[in-house]
Structure formats: structure tokens, C-alpha cells
Amino acid sequence: MKFSQLIISIFIITLICSCENKEVEKELPKSQVSQELEKAKKLYKETTIDFIKYSNKQIRQKLDSALAITNSIKKHDTAFLIKLYRYDAQFKGLNLKMDESLNQLEKVILLQQSYSQTDTLKLLSDYHFISRYSLDNSLLRKALYEGVRPQKDLASKQLESFPEVNKQSIEYLQYLLNAMSSEYSIYQELGDFAAIEKWITEAEPFFLSQMESVSYYKNNSSTPKNPYYDFEINYYLSNLAFKLSEYYFINNQQDKAIFYNNHFKDFYHPVDNYANLVYCLRKFRSKQKLDEKEIDSMYSQAVFHNNLVQKNSNFKEIEKKHYIENKCLGILSEITSRYAYRKFGDGKEAVAWYEKAITLVDDAETDQQTHPLFSINKLLIYYEKQEDPEKLRFYLDQFFMYNEKISQISQDRILLGYEIRYSLNYGTKETAVRILKELFKSYNINGYDINTSRDAYSKVNGIPQNVTDCLKIANTIKRYNKQNPEHMIEVLPLYFLASAILKSYIGNQPSDQDIEVQNEIKENLLRLAYTNNKLTKNHLKMVLLSIQELQQPLLHKKLSINDLLKKHDISHLGKTLEYLKNQIQIDLERLNNKTLDSDTDFWESQYALHQRELQNLVDSISVKAPSFHMVQNTNLDMDSFLKNMDQSDAIIKLDSDEKDIYAFILTKNNIDISYVASKKDYENILKHSKNSDFNFKKRNILSKKVVSKTNGKNFIEIIPDITLNPLPVEYLVSPEQVGSYITSINAVSKHNENQTLKAIVFRPDYNEKRNHTAETLVRSGKFELPYAKEETSYISKIFNSRNMEAANATKQNFLKEAPDYNMHHLAMHAVVNPENDNEGKLLFQGETDDDYLKLREVYNLSLDSQLITLSACNTAYGKVDPIEGTLSLSRAFQYAGARATLTSLWRVPDRETSIIMKSFYTHLKDGDRKDVALKKAKQDYLRNQIEEDLKHPYYWAGFIITGDTSPIIFPTPWYYYLAIGLIIVMVFVLISLSRKRINKGLKVVRKP
């Protein structure tokens, strides 16, 4: 066939297909559309108004028919479609088809939002059902982001149009109160303590104001009332009071707890004793310390109030009385469990009480199934310690029976954990491995395998108990393999899983327990990586990335993403960033939730899409805000990273367990691990280096074991251990190598763009004299610094910088002028307290504390600096926070926008500091990298120093470069271009003259 014939054939086929599609999509006539809609409306009416005539199956069929009709026509009655979808969603919810119900509710909300006659109360109801159905299926984040928060925001907005509580506003108020109570419960489940604190500051004043408004509304006889909503508002106000009381009990503020508990009683049903019973439960749930008499008293009160509730005559309706009795027995069951735990712990004396608690719930026939699980869990802990296989088997079966009724994935995983340990201790390893595979499958990981890819762990979602169980299983396997150390590698997947679960729920303010668990995982991963020679390069990469991810979410107690975005005028990206993070959490919940009949492929694709969008957004923000890596845990493709490393570079990442320090060594296409030193040796070297009494030749105690793995590499970037202050780079690299520090792998040096250099220098004058020679002065206290003046004059001269000295070197001038410059040199005194980072400050010109720049104020600065030099004492030193690392001035300036900092590790001497600084800037001006310039400055100092005592590391080793090490790009002066232009012109002129002479000579030769 000729090419032209082929083209014609394709065109004809396309035209036919197009015509067929048009035939299929042909719109129905208007009259037929109306008829079809009437059919659908009739079916809808039969399922709602006349529903009593039909079975569930018949209602389902009629609803499906109505939905099929609406889907077959193009033009819809939007109001009817909203009603139909909403009813379908609620019907599916009642029949426990939660996934389908949630999908329909989402359609309803989309239709409502685009509909001009939106019924706001109905929309609030839709949000309420999304949160309710999501919570019923443990989709906490979906409930929060797509139900509770939209409900809260919409109800708040509607209430703004009502100056006082009335019959109409009371409906919006109940939705707002409901959302606020749900919000608190979700934050508790997620362990988000920062969000709870923020919630309290909002909820407490709101409750008090609404309490007054509702009271006025009830007592005002002229205001129309709605009995149903009046009852509901009491319920929701009592619920909010319940949450506030619970918070203050947990935080040991008894007066406030009792105050809100009394309001809980006032607003709730007229059974005061029920409120007292809840009060007792709350006290047992709280973490406060109670003595034995108080514990007995609380339990006695609980039993007393429980009996009164069951005899109460205020509830004449059988259903309500039965409900209250069952609920009270459920609460008493939990109180009994907690009574046993608070008084006897997991000991033998508690066993009978736990068993009694289970019986109470059985007698009540209540749905409070989590209460027996609490008791059973405690009994399992007890019999596991007692090594009683018979009792363990009995209560494992009990656990299974109760959990089957509520079908919670989190409880399923706890049960699997017990079953694995039971099999290892009393069964066979084969059974344990089979159940281990089930456990990993519950997290969407196919199989229990040490070679499972890192991507598989990225979709994990869980709760703290799951992490604890992983660690318990790992310890059991290690005991099982004690005689076969080569099998210890089998626990590696459990530590990867524990790490991924911890990452999924940990917040910006982790609890002490979170930090403890994080350290346990990290320490076990480090020991496995160093001691097990079966680990491949891929295993080491996963170990390193797991440790990095464990640490990064914990870094930002003082650093705010929103503040950083605001500083760089990109606040609008904050909402998109939060939205994408929320969507990823929702995707993960869906993928991990086996109780919903979810389309796994769809949620996999959604997860991948949101991950890509998030990474693109992070990359975009990082360009505009270079310090973004300090507040955002970004994904790192380790294979690409290692592949793209320069052949002459290496990265040393230090990490430690309780006693020892290890180093991950990254080079092009390779990763290795080495032992560095004990923490004790490390701290001794740092201590002695500061005090001039240490023999520097011993420095190889650290460097020798690491340097052998970085042979042939010229430039070494060091990531410090989060639990230790940095050490001089000379202890970790060979004399031939150049060392510098970076904050994380994500912060590896990037070359500066070509921008015009604008330098500024600050040097205050200090008047205090000291009875020491100038040679012994250090840059701390408030004593005069004679050599600092010499230093700043030199720098100002070679860089033509703006010189802010003496009276001009004020904090106010720095705050005003610094943002306009891209290189900053500060020669002054600094104050650092290793016990309290809030006392850190730079002493600008002035006498009062307000004249000094505090460390906390530095975080609020917005700078774009290629280099900030803090030529003062201890500017890279500070309090070591177990979560955030070293809280130094250097770190604060990096967050403020410094691409690189030159700072000090101890109280540096004035004279030697000046010598090194002048030499550093000379080499920097010559075009050297910052780390090379600093190394050359130190070498210059040692080469020119005659006195051996002054060659001690104390005088020169205390300065480090952190961040971007690339050279400063100096713009070429205009006169360079002028000179080059003149030279070109002169050459051109000379060539022209030369040609003329040659031509003239030729003419002379040719003349006859």
C-alpha cells in the first residue's frame, strides 16, 4: 500500500469512529430527559418516604436504578442529584460500605460547592458524615483534613453573621462544637501534642464565651426555641467541656479540670453520677501520680456512681436507660483495668482485676470493645513475662475474639506481634516467619525479606504500639538467634518497618517516648550495619536513609516552615505544601486500611502523583529559600546522589549509639561504614583542644580509621552527630585533605550564582580593660579587642566593603543594613550558654541587653548571604538538644539565609583569630574555595609561627566552614573590560600598521 493510500485509510477510519462516538453521546430530547428524571425522582421517593414497604435489597435496587438513569443523561437537576447522592451515601454507610459511602459524599460536596443554591446546613452534615465514616474506619487524617476542618471553618464563617445565639445560629453552633471536639480526639490519636496545645488556646476562650451566650439564649423567654437543637447544644457543649477537663487532668491542673468537669455535668443529661463516673475515668487515664489511698478512693467512687446510674429514675425510656447502663459498665470496666494497672502494674495481684474488667463488659453487652482489649493486653504482657504458654494461648484467643468485632487494623497488628513472639518461644520458627509475612502484608509490604526495596517502606502507616511491637519481635528473634550470630541480619526488616511507622506519625513536638524509641532504632541499625558483614551496599543505603529520616522530622522545634516561607515572600505556597502532605497521609491511610474495599491501584497512583507534586513543590521552594532543607524532610534518591558525586569528594556522616561513634562514608557510587571512636574519647579531645594541654599528635585516634576509607579524596564534607558538638575537621581528615561541615545530606554544597558582591563589616568597640597582654585576650566577655580593629580594616580594604565600626556597629544598624548585603563579617564578642540556648547573643555596640542580638532573633532575619563570618567565641558551639542537635549561632544564621558560615568551636584568642581571618580572606579573594581558603589560612599561621606552644590546636583549629564551600565569585571591575578593550584596539592598530609597512615594502621591491 502506498503511503498516500495509508493516510487516506487512517482518516476514513478516524472519521467513522468519530461519527460513532457522536452517535453514542447524542443528547436525549428535552422531553425524554424530563421523563427520565421523573422516573429517577419517583424511585428516590419510594426509597425515602415509602421505605418501610421495602427490604434493604429492594431499596438498593431502586437506588441503583435511579443512579443509572441520572448517569445516562447529560442535563441534571442538580438539587435532586445532591439529594440522591447524599441518600445513597448514607444508605451505604448504614450497610457498612464505607468506601463507597465516602466516595458518594465527596461527589455531594463537589456538587454543593458548584451549586448556586447551596444548603449550608446540609453541606455541614456532609462534612460531618465524612469525618464520622472516616473515623469509624480509622482514617484519622481523612477525617481531619476532609471532614472536621472544613466543617469547623464553614460553621465558624456562618456564625460570624449572627451577633447573638438564636434559633438559627444554634444549628451552626452545634456543628462547630462537634468539629472542635472531634479535632481534639484526632490529635490525641495521632499524638500531635503541638496541635493539642494550639487547640486549647482556641477552644478554651471559645467555650467560655459560648457558655455565656447559650445561657442568655435559654433564659431569654422572648427568643424562639427549638427543643431538639437545645438538647443537642447541651450535648456538644458538654462534650467540649469533657475534652477541656481531660486535657487539664492529663497536665495536672486539677482546679481547671474540676471546673470543666462541673460544666460537663451541668450541660449533660440529668445523670450527675454519670458525669462523676467519667470524672473518675479521666483521673485514671491521666498521667498524674496518685498514692495508694487516692487510687482506692477513686475506684470506690467509680463503683458507687456506677451503681447510682443504673438505679437512676430520670431515664424512663428503656432504650436510653439501657444505653446509659451499658455505657457506664463499659466505663467501669476500663476504670477497673486502670485501677489494677495503677495499683498493681502488670503484677500477679492485678490479674484478677483485669479478668473482672473483661466480665463487666461482657455483662453489659456493650459496644465498648476497646476496654476488654486494654485488660487482655495487660494480661498478655503479664503472662509473656511469666512465660506461661497456656494462659498466653487462652488470652490470645480472647484478643482475637474481641478484636474481630471491631476489626481495627492497629489491633490486628498488635495481635500478630503477640502471635509471632508466641511462635518463636513455644512454636516453630516456620510459623513465626509465616505470621511475620502476614504482619508485613498488613503494611502493604510483600513478604518479610531483608532485600525488600526502600520504596515498599515509604507507604507504611501506623501507631506507637506498632513500633513497640516491632522492637519486641526483633529482640525475641535476636534471643532466638543468639547461638547463630550470622542470622542476626534477619531483624533488619523489623527495624526498617519500625523506622517507617515512627516517621508516619511523629510530629514537630515528639514525646520523650518517641525520642527514646527513635534512639533505640538508630542504635540497633548502627550496630547491625557495622558488625554484620553480610550487609550489602543497598542495605547500608537503607540504614543510612532510615537514620536520616528518623532525625529530620525531629529537627524543627524552633524552625517554622510558615515563617520561612513568609520571610521569602512565598507564603501562598504554604497551603499547597500542607494540602499535598495531607493528601499523602490520606493516601497512606487508604493503602494501609484493610477494612475498606478500596481500589488499591487507584490509591497507589494517587500516592505516586501527590509524591511527585510534593517533590516538585519542594524543589521550587528550595530555589527561593535555600535553608528550606532545614525545615522540610525531603526525599533523597541515594543511587542518583552517589552516582553524581565528584570523584574527588567524600561525605562523612557521624552517628552514635549510647557509647560509640560511627561514620557512614559516601563516595562516588559507594557507601561504607567505619568505627570512629568512643564518645568519651571524642569529648576528651574536644575538651583538651579548648584548653591548650593536649598533644595534637594523638589526633589520629579519630582520623586513622576513617581516613583509610577516603584515600584519594580531596574534599571531605562532614555531617556532625546530632548528640555532640562539632570537632575540628583536622581530627577527621588527613593533612592532605580539605574538610568542612554540612547540616545534612540534602544540604550538600551548591555553587553560588554570579551576583555582584556587596560586603559589610561590623566591629563594636568595648571599653573594659583587662590586666592581660593583648596576646592572651579572647573574644568573650566585654573586653576591648585590639586585633579585631586590624582585622576589619584589612577586610574592608581588600573587598571595598562597608565598614560599620564603634558607634555604628549597633544591632539596629545590623537589622537595617544586613539584608542589603551578601557577605557579612562580624568581629565582636559572643555569649553562649551550653545549658540554655535562649541566652546566646552577639554583643553589638551598647550597654544593655536590648542592644545585643539574641540567638532567637537571628531566626527571624531574612538574609541572602554567600558567607557570614562570626569572628567571635563559641559561635559554632551551643546547647546540645537531643532532638535538634547543637543550637548554635551558626545554625541560626544558616536558617536566616546564610549559604555558608565561618564560625568558632571555642573561646578563640583575639590575636590569632585576626591573623587567620586576614589570611582566609586573602585566599578567598584569590579565588579559592571557602574550605580551601580556611585550610590555607591555618597552614599560613602554623608555617609563620615560631613559638611551638602557639601551634597548639587551641590557637588555630577552632574555626570551621559550614555549608556551601564554593568560591566567592567576584564581579570583574569595569576597568578590566576597558583595559582589555584598549589592548584589543592597540593590537588591531599594530596589525594594521604592520600590514601597511609590508605592502609598502612590496611596492618598493616591485619597482623597476
Side-chain angles (χ1 to χ4, degrees), residues 168-366:
Q168 287 76 38
S169 70
I170 207 85
E171 296 180 58
Y172 294 116
L173 182 58
Q174 72 157 351
Y175 279 112
L176 179 54
L177 290 166
N178 168 260
M180 292 179 81
S181 295
S182 299
E183 196 175 23
Y184 178 84
S185 300
I186 292 170
Y187 290 148
Q188 273 193 317
E189 285 286 317
L190 294 173
D192 194 339
F193 304 113
I196 289 173
E197 294 295 330
K198 186 178 177 183
W199 181 90
I200 287 293
T201 61
E202 179 187 335
E204 188 166 20
F206 177 78
F207 174 81
L208 295 172
S209 65
Q210 292 306 315
M211 192 174 65
E212 290 179 14
S213 301
V214 170
S215 178
Y216 175 78
Y217 160 74
K218 287 181 179 179
N219 296 327
N220 189 348
S221 57
S222 63
T223 308
K225 304 290 192 298
N226 183 326
Y228 171 76
Y229 286 116
D230 290 355
F231 170 80
E232 287 290 299
I233 212 68
N234 274 359
Y235 172 76
Y236 287 117
L237 277 169
S238 73
N239 210 6
L240 193 56
F242 181 105
K243 307 295 183 189
L244 288 163
S245 178
E246 184 170 51
Y247 170 82
Y248 285 115
F249 261 120
I250 290 170
N251 287 278
N252 251 340
Q253 298 183 44
Q254 299 304 308
D255 291 342
K256 280 196 171 186
I258 291 167
F259 171 80
Y260 286 110
N261 194 65
N262 289 336
H263 283 298
F264 165 67
K265 289 194 291 183
D266 292 341
F267 282 112
Y268 199 69
H269 303 294
V271 184
D272 287 349
N273 292 304
Y274 173 69
N276 283 318
L277 193 62
V278 173
Y279 176 90
C280 295
L281 172 60
R282 200 171 298 126
K283 198 154 187 175
F284 271 107
R285 278 180 178 171
S286 71
K287 296 176 182 177
Q288 61 183 299
K289 292 181 179 178
L290 301 172
D291 62 32
E292 196 167 318
K293 286 183 180 178
E294 285 179 294
I295 294 171
D296 287 339
S297 171
M298 290 304 301
Y299 180 73
S300 300
Q301 287 179 51
V303 174
F304 172 75
H305 291 301
N306 180 69
N307 292 334
L308 285 177
V309 169
Q310 292 181 62
K311 295 174 184 176
N312 194 288
S313 59
N314 287 326
F315 283 81
K316 295 179 181 177
E317 302 97 324
I318 294 172
E319 286 186 13
K320 283 187 179 178
K321 186 171 189 297
H322 178 69
Y323 170 76
I324 289 293
E325 284 183 1
N326 280 340
K327 199 162 185 180
C328 289
L329 280 169
I331 290 171
L332 185 64
S333 166
E334 185 174 348
I335 289 173
T336 304
S337 284
R338 292 182 183 276
Y339 172 73
Y341 181 63
R342 295 299 290 270
K343 189 168 182 181
F344 307 113
D346 296 324
K348 185 178 180 181
E349 299 86 347
V351 170
W353 290 89
Y354 291 137
E355 290 170 345
K356 183 179 179 181
I358 298 169
T359 308
L360 279 167
V361 179
D362 277 345
D363 289 345
E365 298 178 2
T366 179

Side-chain angles (χ1 to χ4, degrees), residues 11-22:
F11 175 78
I12 292 168
I13 292 167
T14 306
L15 190 64
I16 292 168
C17 291
S18 174
C19 293
E20 287 176 352
N21 287 339
K22 285 181 180 175

Side-chain angles (χ1 to χ4, degrees), residues 548 552-553 555-556 559-561 564 577-578 581 614-615 617-619 621-622 627-635 744 746 895:
Q548 166 118 338
Q552 278 200 319
L555 287 176
H556 320 308
L559 309 185
S560 160
I561 287 178
L564 183 65
L577 188 69
E578 184 180 6
K581 287 181 179 179
L614 178 62
Q615 192 58 49
L617 181 62
V618 166
D619 292 342
I621 293 173
S622 297
S627 56
F628 189 59
H629 69 271
M630 295 181 74
V631 294
Q632 171 66 29
N633 188 1
T634 54
N635 293 326
S744 70
N746 293 324
Y895 178 76

Side-chain angles (χ1 to χ4, degrees), residues 57-233:
K57 187 177 180 181
Q58 289 172 316
I59 291 173
R60 182 68 267 158
Q61 288 171 346
K62 289 177 183 292
L63 273 175
D64 288 341
S65 299
L67 288 165
I69 290 169
T70 58
N71 289 335
S72 68
I73 56 181
K74 270 194 166 186
K75 292 183 180 178
H76 297 117
D77 178 341
T78 307
F80 168 65
L81 204 59
I82 289 170
K83 287 181 186 177
L84 179 62
Y85 283 173
R86 180 180 288 121
Y87 184 72
D88 182 47
Q90 291 175 356
F91 186 81
K92 284 171 175 170
L94 289 169
N95 287 277
L96 303 179
K97 294 185 176 180
M98 295 302 184
D99 207 28
E100 293 177 31
S101 175
L102 286 167
N103 289 337
Q104 285 294 70
L105 281 170
E106 286 164 8
K107 290 180 187 176
V108 171
I109 287 169
L110 285 173
L111 282 169
Q112 285 260 56
Q113 289 171 343
S114 60
Y115 186 44
S116 58
Q117 301 175 41
T118 299
D119 184 332
T120 310
L121 285 169
K122 291 288 187 184
L123 183 56
L124 285 167
S125 173
D126 297 332
Y127 285 134
H128 170 69
F129 276 105
I130 279 188
S131 62
R132 178 176 157 186
Y133 290 160
S134 298
L135 287 171
D136 285 347
N137 289 277
S138 302
L139 298 173
L140 299 177
R141 290 172 179 86
K142 183 174 181 63
L144 180 63
Y145 304 136
E146 295 186 0
V148 171
R149 283 187 181 167
Q151 178 184 327
K152 178 183 168 185
D153 293 342
L154 181 58
S156 296
K157 187 177 178 182
Q158 292 301 313
L159 278 173
E160 288 173 3
S161 59
F162 294 94
E164 60 183 32
V165 178
N166 56 35
K167 186 178 178 180
Q168 287 76 38
S169 70
I170 207 85
E171 296 180 58
Y172 294 116
L173 182 58
Q174 72 157 351
Y175 279 112
L176 179 54
L177 290 166
N178 168 260
M180 292 179 81
S181 295
S182 299
E183 196 175 23
Y184 178 84
S185 300
I186 292 170
Y187 290 148
Q188 273 193 317
E189 285 286 317
L190 294 173
D192 194 339
F193 304 113
I196 289 173
E197 294 295 330
K198 186 178 177 183
W199 181 90
I200 287 293
T201 61
E202 179 187 335
E204 188 166 20
F206 177 78
F207 174 81
L208 295 172
S209 65
Q210 292 306 315
M211 192 174 65
E212 290 179 14
S213 301
V214 170
S215 178
Y216 175 78
Y217 160 74
K218 287 181 179 179
N219 296 327
N220 189 348
S221 57
S222 63
T223 308
K225 304 290 192 298
N226 183 326
Y228 171 76
Y229 286 116
D230 290 355
F231 170 80
E232 287 290 299
I233 212 68

Side-chain angles (χ1 to χ4, degrees), residues 378-485:
K378 295 298 177 187
L379 287 164
L380 285 169
I381 290 169
Y382 173 75
Y383 287 118
E384 206 170 31
K385 285 180 182 175
Q386 296 299 309
E387 299 180 2
D388 187 331
E390 189 177 332
K391 287 285 188 181
L392 269 173
R393 186 68 265 160
F394 173 78
Y395 284 110
L396 280 170
D397 294 339
Q398 289 273 298
F399 197 112
F400 177 81
M401 180 185 73
Y402 280 107
N403 188 48
E404 200 172 30
K405 296 176 185 177
I406 58 171
S407 189
Q408 284 188 356
I409 187 72
S410 58
Q411 299 296 331
D412 287 344
R413 290 166 177 169
I414 291 169
L415 177 60
L416 288 170
Y418 278 118
E419 291 283 12
I420 292 163
R421 296 196 295 275
Y422 181 87
S423 298
L424 284 168
N425 289 322
Y426 309 109
T428 64
K429 188 174 180 180
E430 289 72 21
T431 305
V433 170
R434 178 180 57 78
I435 304 171
L436 266 167
K437 288 177 181 177
E438 282 184 49
L439 177 66
F440 275 70
K441 194 175 180 182
S442 76
Y443 291 100
N444 285 317
I445 298 172
N446 291 324
Y448 173 68
D449 187 347
I450 62 168
N451 295 314
T452 299
S453 73
R454 174 176 157 70
D455 286 343
Y457 293 98
S458 66
K459 299 167 190 172
V460 163
N461 185 277
I463 60 173
Q465 173 86 42
N466 301 144
V467 178
T468 305
D469 282 342
C470 285
L471 297 179
K472 282 183 178 178
I473 296 166
N475 289 334
T476 307
I477 292 174
K478 284 196 284 189
R479 284 198 301 272
Y480 186 91
N481 289 329
K482 197 171 183 180
Q483 304 304 320
N484 300 290

Side-chain angles (χ1 to χ4, degrees), residues 755-760 818-824 864-868 968:
Q755 56 181 174
T756 302
L757 183 73
K758 288 181 70 180
I760 190 168
D820 296 331
Y821 293 82
N822 54 21
M823 193 168 88
H824 305 76
D864 183 12
S865 183
Q866 294 189 38
L867 173 66
I868 292 181
I968 299 286

